[in-house]
Amino acid sequence: MNKRNYQKELETVIEKNQKADYVPRLLLHSCCAPCSSYVLEYLSKYFAITVLYYNPNIYPPEEIRKRADEQERLIASMPMEHAAVYLEGRYEPEVFYETVKGHEGDKEGGERCFLCYRLRLEEAARQAKAGGFDYFTTTLSISPLKNAEKLNEIGEELAEEYGVAYLNSDFKKKNGYKRSTELSAEYGLYRQNYCGCVFSRMQRAE
């Protein structure tokens, strides 16, 4: 079976909307400001974006505030063709711990992470449906450590369930990750050295 080219699929959607002279509304789940930087630079030319900051996995609690404030600051200071809107989700660490119960010892990038992807993407799908958005997607695929195939698979399943199209993507393509590090330096963004949850922090320390 041929491996899907999610970047090509994204470009096809962009092209179709441009031909129709239509600027669709996109709900973009973001894990942090650095990861969202390139995605916003790229997609704000073609979409009216609302950035959803929903990350109940983040540990410790003071870390969530740091990351959320940086996300809001970036949106306010970054020039975009179609200005983005910031939407802060609830901080529900207990929901994350319940979701990954039994998978606490999984290696980073395994089943625990997939459950976490689904938790955050499902909230994005819910918000996208409630807000009447055309698409939803996530910045997570920009990280070389994140499984783009799994993210798109979960996104497509949730699109079926919630009736909102998932914008297939693999933002690390076209030097997306490299560009995000450049933009992070340019805007002086706070960059953490672990994914976000207590388990990734412990693995990083080890």
Side-chain angles (χ1 to χ4, degrees):
M1 197 169 118
N2 286 341
K3 207 168 177 199
R4 286 170 65 181
N5 185 333
Y6 296 111
Q7 176 61 33
K8 193 79 195 144
E9 290 181 26
L10 170 59
E11 287 167 5
T12 301
V13 169
I14 288 170
E15 201 178 318
K16 185 188 81 177
N17 286 316
Q18 281 191 300
K19 277 182 182 163
D21 200 22
Y22 180 59
V23 179
R25 293 177 67 227
L26 168 67
L27 189 85
L28 174 66
H29 164 265
S30 174
C31 53
C32 62
C35 285
S36 73
S37 58
Y38 163 73
V39 180
L40 286 168
E41 181 183 67
Y42 175 32
L43 292 186
S44 64
K45 300 184 192 87
Y46 313 110
F47 295 89
I49 300 172
T50 293
V51 176
L52 171 66
Y53 186 80
Y54 174 74
N55 298 291
N57 58 311
I58 301 298
Y59 174 88
E62 53 270 25
E63 179 75 12
I64 193 90
R65 194 67 262 148
K66 265 194 222 173
R67 294 190 190 202
D69 288 348
E70 281 296 81
Q71 183 67 76
E72 205 167 0
R73 181 172 75 83
L74 177 68
I75 290 168
S77 55
M78 195 175 188
M80 294 182 237
E81 200 162 317
H82 301 101
V85 174
Y86 177 68
L87 174 63
E88 191 163 323
R90 300 177 304 281
Y91 179 51
E92 308 169 307
E94 67 287 352
V95 175
F96 167 70
Y97 292 118
E98 188 54 42
T99 300
V100 302
K101 205 171 178 178
H103 292 274
E104 293 87 346
D106 290 5
K107 276 203 158 48
E108 196 69 11
E111 189 61 31
R112 186 187 66 237
C113 294
F114 299 163
L115 291 166
C116 185
Y117 295 172
R118 183 177 289 276
L119 172 64
R120 292 185 278 173
L121 276 169
E122 184 151 19
E123 180 62 15
R126 265 198 292 268
Q127 296 269 9
K129 183 177 184 172
F133 285 81
D134 298 292
Y135 300 93
F136 73 102
T137 196
T138 179
T139 62
L140 284 164
S141 71
I142 199 164
S143 166
L145 303 174
K146 298 289 185 289
N147 186 324
E149 202 169 346
K150 196 70 187 172
L151 284 162
N152 285 289
E153 181 190 306
I154 292 167
E156 287 176 346
E157 285 169 14
L158 292 168
E160 283 281 313
E161 196 179 324
Y162 286 87
V164 183
Y166 184 73
L167 190 67
N168 286 322
S169 47
D170 187 357
F171 293 119
K172 67 181 81 62
K173 300 292 184 195
K174 296 179 81 170
N175 285 322
Y177 179 71
K178 180 174 178 284
R179 180 63 182 146
S180 77
T181 61
E182 291 167 358
L183 286 165
S184 296
E186 192 180 316
Y187 287 93
L189 296 176
Y190 162 66
R191 286 179 74 86
Q192 55 293 327
N193 65 356
Y194 65 104
C195 171
C197 75
V198 65
F199 311 111
S200 67
R201 196 186 194 200
M202 286 190 301
Q203 282 185 25
R204 182 80 190 183
E206 281 166 19

